């Protein structure tokens, strides 16, 4: 089968489209004939081995030969022993960790769900990490019902899902922070107000919030606390920069460490994709209450170009590789 592979920690320019053996599903697994793969920062942190701590799980000195891509959509091609609820030719989507930018990939049956009838495979591939991170963050942080929610980084892969999921979960008001060119997109997704961070400091917005969902971590919690209600919660869902040792985790864990000083509750967002929460996202999409935004779809042979754009960190919505 064809796959986009890498065998050392480096940039996307080292990735190559190669022929590798087709994998076989084991117990509790299915093989998916891939139609589309969604790209995420998760992918480039893995193939660059950045931050260094990530290498303890992917290989301290070398990752070995790996295939890029964590989010997948396609059709079940083979079913391993002990799998229930899926059969050959079912349309599915889900999380595989790595390996999705290939003709075939193996997935744990517990980390996939049936593709929404109203969604294309490209749309479904754009959902797993972003959708589940948004859903899990709000649920870990408490009920959104009737709450005032602020989403920082609202046009990104996780942020644009968080705006919509907050509305689905009953938020009374959702305010979104993003750049001006992406404001119209975020408004269409349901934001009640959009703050252009290039023109206005969110700290001067004149509002307070019960829930702050932060995907970028560029404003310290000790400053943000002035717009977070005393009994509110700060959801640390990501960060930019952070250095070679901890990377984005620096913003997340530093917020947790200073929460006593800021006197605001901090929840670190880290939800594991599962059949159950992927099915919940599928239902929201099928009902028309959530929709993934695809900034651009790339053919398989241009995966490196897509990854380079992803690393620039200014994508509105998601990038998707079309495999078949």
């Amino acid at each position: 089968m064809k796959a986009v592979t890498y065998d050392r920690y480096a940039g996307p320019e080292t990735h190559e489209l190669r022929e590798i053996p087709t994998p076989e599903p084991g117990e509790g697994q299915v093989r998916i004939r891939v139609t589309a793969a969604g790209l995420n920062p998760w992918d480039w942190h893995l193939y660059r081995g950045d931050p260094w701590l990530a290498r303890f799980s992917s290989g301290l000195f070398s990752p070995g030969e790996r295939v890029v891509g964590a989010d997948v959509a396609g059709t079940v091609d083979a079913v391993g022993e002990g799998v229930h609820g899926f059969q050959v030719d079912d349309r599915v989507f889900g999380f595989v960790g790595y390996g999705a930018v290939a003709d075939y990939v193996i997935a744990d049956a517990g980390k996939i769900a049936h593709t929404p009838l109203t969604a294309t495979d490209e749309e479904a591939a754009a959902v797993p990490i972003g959708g589940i991170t948004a859903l899990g963050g709000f649920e870990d942080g408490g009920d959104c019902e009737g709450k005032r929610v602020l989403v920082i980084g609202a046009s990104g892969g996780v942020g644009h899902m968080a705006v919509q999921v907050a509305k689905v979960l009953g938020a009374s008001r959702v305010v979104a922070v993003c750049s001006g060119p992406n404001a119209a997109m975020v408004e269409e997704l349901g934001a009640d107000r959009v703050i252009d961070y290039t023109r206005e400091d969110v700290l001067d917005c004149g509002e307070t919030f019960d829930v702050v969902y932060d995907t970028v971590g560029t404003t310290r919690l000790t400053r943000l606390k002035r717009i977070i209600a005393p009994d509110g919660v700060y959801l640390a869902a990501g960060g930019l920069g952070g250095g070679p040792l901890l990377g984005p985790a620096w913003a997340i864990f530093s917020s947790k460490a200073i929460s006593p000083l800021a006197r605001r509750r901090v929840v670190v967002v880290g939800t594991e994709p599962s059949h159950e929460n992927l099915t919940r996202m599928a239902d929201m999409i099928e009902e028309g209450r959530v929709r993934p935004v695809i900034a651009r779809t790339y053919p398989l042979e241009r995966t490196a170009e897509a990854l380079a754009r992803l690393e620039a960190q200014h994508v509105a919505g998601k990038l998707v590789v079309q495999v078949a």
Side-chain angles (χ1 to χ4, degrees), residues 27-117:
E27 185 174 356
Q29 298 178 326
V30 303
R31 185 172 64 203
I32 298 172
R33 185 168 64 249
V34 180
T35 304
L39 301 181
N40 300 275
W42 166 285
D43 301 313
W44 70 261
H45 283 298
L46 279 182
Y47 66 67
R48 284 192 177 273
D50 175 16
W52 292 339
L53 286 180
R55 302 188 184 196
F56 284 97
S57 61
S58 57
L60 193 56
F61 301 106
S62 168
E65 185 174 54
R66 289 192 180 229
V67 178
V68 72
D71 285 353
V72 67
T75 305
V76 174
D77 172 75
V79 178
E81 293 184 6
V83 173
H84 304 285
F86 297 103
Q87 57 187 10
V88 171
D89 292 333
D90 282 355
R91 291 180 65 220
V92 295
F93 75 112
F95 175 82
V96 293
Y98 59 88
V101 186
D103 289 332
Y104 297 91
V105 69
I106 299 300
D108 291 338
K111 294 185 178 181
I112 61 172
H114 290 96
T115 301
L117 296 176

Side-chain angles (χ1 to χ4, degrees), residues 26 38 45 58 100 102 105 127 147 165 184 207-208 212 231 240 283 304:
H45 283 298
S58 57
V105 69
V127 173
K147 302 290 180 63
V165 170
E207 299 189 48
T208 58
V212 173
D231 59 348
L240 301 179
D283 291 342

Side-chain angles (χ1 to χ4, degrees), residues 60-262:
L60 193 56
F61 301 106
S62 168
E65 185 174 54
R66 289 192 180 229
V67 178
V68 72
D71 285 353
V72 67
T75 305
V76 174
D77 172 75
V79 178
E81 293 184 6
V83 173
H84 304 285
F86 297 103
Q87 57 187 10
V88 171
D89 292 333
D90 282 355
R91 291 180 65 220
V92 295
F93 75 112
F95 175 82
V96 293
Y98 59 88
V101 186
D103 289 332
Y104 297 91
V105 69
I106 299 300
D108 291 338
K111 294 185 178 181
I112 61 172
H114 290 96
T115 301
L117 296 176
T118 56
T120 65
D121 283 355
E122 288 76 17
E123 290 170 333
V127 173
I129 287 181
I132 297 311
T133 303
L135 178 63
F138 286 123
E139 292 190 332
D140 290 345
D143 189 7
C144 271
E145 185 72 35
K147 302 290 180 63
R148 299 160 297 174
V149 175
L150 175 71
V151 179
I152 303 175
S155 61
V158 174
H160 88 284
M161 286 289 188
V163 169
Q164 299 176 82
V165 170
K167 282 289 189 179
V168 172
L169 296 180
S172 62
R173 181 169 174 79
V174 176
V175 175
V177 180
C178 65
S179 63
N182 299 325
M185 179 196 88
V186 176
E187 285 178 346
E188 289 177 4
L189 297 178
D192 298 294
R193 176 186 176 186
V194 178
I195 296 172
D196 177 357
Y197 68 81
T198 68
R199 293 176 173 269
E200 180 182 359
D201 190 333
V202 66
L203 299 178
D204 298 326
C205 68
E207 299 189 48
T208 58
F209 303 93
D210 305 299
V211 180
V212 173
Y213 192 108
D214 192 353
T215 71
V216 296
T218 53
T219 304
R220 291 181 66 83
L221 180 61
T222 49
R223 299 185 66 223
L224 277 173
K225 74 170 189 177
R226 76 191 227 195
I227 59 170
I228 304 175
D231 59 348
V233 59
Y234 175 81
L235 304 179
L240 301 179
L245 181 61
L246 293 176
W250 169 252
I252 294 173
F253 292 117
S254 62
S255 295
K256 187 70 173 177
I258 65 175
S259 61
L261 178 64

